[in-house]
Every structure is written in structure tokens, then in C-alpha cells.
Amino acid sequence: MRDFYAPSSPMPLDQASGLRRLFAGARQRVLPIAANPHVAFSGVVLDHVTAALVARGHRVLVVDAADRSPAPPEMSIIDLAGCIEPLSAQVGYLAARGLPVAYVDTRGSASGFLDAIAEAAPQADAVLLHANATDLARMFMRRAARPMLLGGDHPESIKHAYAACKLLAQRCRLMTFDLLLAADPASRRAPQIAERLASCADG
């Protein structure tokens, strides 16, 4: 295992083709994940995404900036790198609730937060940025991205996922999204939910 803070080249393994597509051809990629308060155990979902990336040899920084995420340490504005908690040799965690707003400039953009993350954790190959859609819109209003929508096997979570999709499309002109459903793999409704959400998004 490699130390999360030690610079070295990742050694990819053949796993998770969707994540391989997302992270191909870039030294550090940011995966925006739209937080969804109607998805139970969303932290477990983030753990699974993180594990899939680690299995491919990536060093991952999880930036947890949703409304229900832990508050950042008081020193985060001064020393962001010092507030990253190493969870394993390849995974770092940053509690970041409310932090994106601290980087909003006079034009309403919070893209400076993304620059601060890159500077604080240059050793991370992948950054999982878990935040509310409004904060993601501030950060990616002038940047290309392919956000991941979270959803569950019930209507309220899908309504929230669609609202996040609509907001990001309108404010950032983002037109491609991925959907991660926290549902029983044997659920008969899961394919229908995905198709219905895709149809609404296309509309």
C-alpha cells in the first residue's frame, strides 16, 4: 500500500469501467456528487465509490461539503491541507460543510475552492466532491464536469435528484450526468426509475 501523502504514480487495475471512463486521461479529476438528503446511508454510498477508485490504484480525497456533513475544523480557511484526515494509505477525508461559500468571488463563483483543494492535495488522483447542487453550481459555473446524481428507491429521492440535475443544467449548462441508485439490486423499479429520470432530464 502507498502512503496517501507520498507522491507516486497510480497503478490502475481493471475494475469499474464507468469510473475508468470518468477518470481516464487526467492527472487529477474531480467527481461532483450531488448530495441528496432523501438517500439513507449516503455515507456508505460514498464509501463504495471511494473503494472502487482505490481498487484501481487511485489516491482519493473525499471532500464532504453537504448540508448534513461534518463542520470543517476552524483552521480550514488558513490551512486546508492540514485539515485533511488520512483514513488509509490511499484515502483522505476533508469535512467541508459550508466551506465552498467561503470561496465565492464577486461574480458568484466558488471555483476558487476547487483550486484550493488541488493545492492542498496535489497527491490525490481523484477528488470526490459531495455537496449540495447549489454549491456545485457555484463551483462549476465556468468548468466542465459530469456530476453524479444520488437517488433511492422512492419518489422523494428521485424528485430531489431531478431538481439537482435541472439546476446544474440551467446554471452551468451541464448536459451529461451519471446516476447512482442506492437500491436493492433485485429491485424491479430501479431500471424504471433510471429511465424515467433520464426521460425527464432529456425533456
Side-chain angles (χ1 to χ4, degrees):
M1 296 182 72
R2 295 190 300 277
D3 188 338
F4 181 75
Y5 292 98
S8 60
S9 300
M11 300 179 64
L13 305 174
D14 188 16
Q15 184 176 352
S17 60
L19 293 173
R20 185 163 57 248
R21 184 188 69 249
L22 282 171
F23 288 90
R27 191 186 69 81
Q28 185 184 78
R29 290 292 300 268
V30 178
L31 172 58
I33 302 179
N36 192 330
H38 303 287
V39 175
F41 307 109
S42 57
V44 176
V45 176
L46 293 179
D47 286 346
H48 282 293
V49 178
T50 301
L53 289 169
V54 169
R56 295 196 58 244
H58 287 294
R59 288 163 293 177
V60 183
L61 174 63
V62 179
V63 180
D64 202 0
D67 279 347
R68 298 185 180 184
S69 302
E74 292 182 3
M75 293 294 293
S76 57
I77 296 297
I78 300 172
D79 181 15
L80 196 62
C83 296
I84 296 175
E85 178 184 357
L87 300 183
S88 71
Q90 288 184 276
V91 179
Y93 176 83
L94 176 64
R97 186 183 72 208
L99 268 186
V101 178
Y103 289 82
V104 174
D105 63 20
T106 56
R107 296 175 180 266
S109 171
S111 63
F113 183 55
L114 300 178
D115 296 331
I117 291 171
E119 184 177 345
Q123 72 285 345
D125 307 302
V127 176
L128 298 188
L129 179 55
H130 180 231
N132 304 318
T134 51
D135 284 334
L136 292 178
R138 292 187 184 103
M139 288 183 272
F140 291 93
M141 60 192 306
R142 293 194 292 267
R143 297 194 184 207
R146 182 173 180 149
M148 179 177 287
L149 306 174
L150 294 183
D153 193 6
H154 56 91
E156 287 305 313
S157 72
I158 299 305
K159 288 179 184 177
H160 194 277
Y162 172 69
C165 171
K166 184 175 181 180
L167 186 148
L168 290 167
Q170 291 179 338
R171 292 194 186 179
C172 305
R173 305 289 185 185
L174 299 178
M175 296 297 171
T176 55
F177 298 82
D178 287 299
L179 174 64
L180 182 57
L181 278 179
D184 187 333
S187 171
R188 296 180 179 178
R189 294 192 298 174
Q192 298 174 355
I193 290 171
E195 291 174 6
R196 189 170 304 169
L197 182 58
S199 176
C200 290
D202 286 340

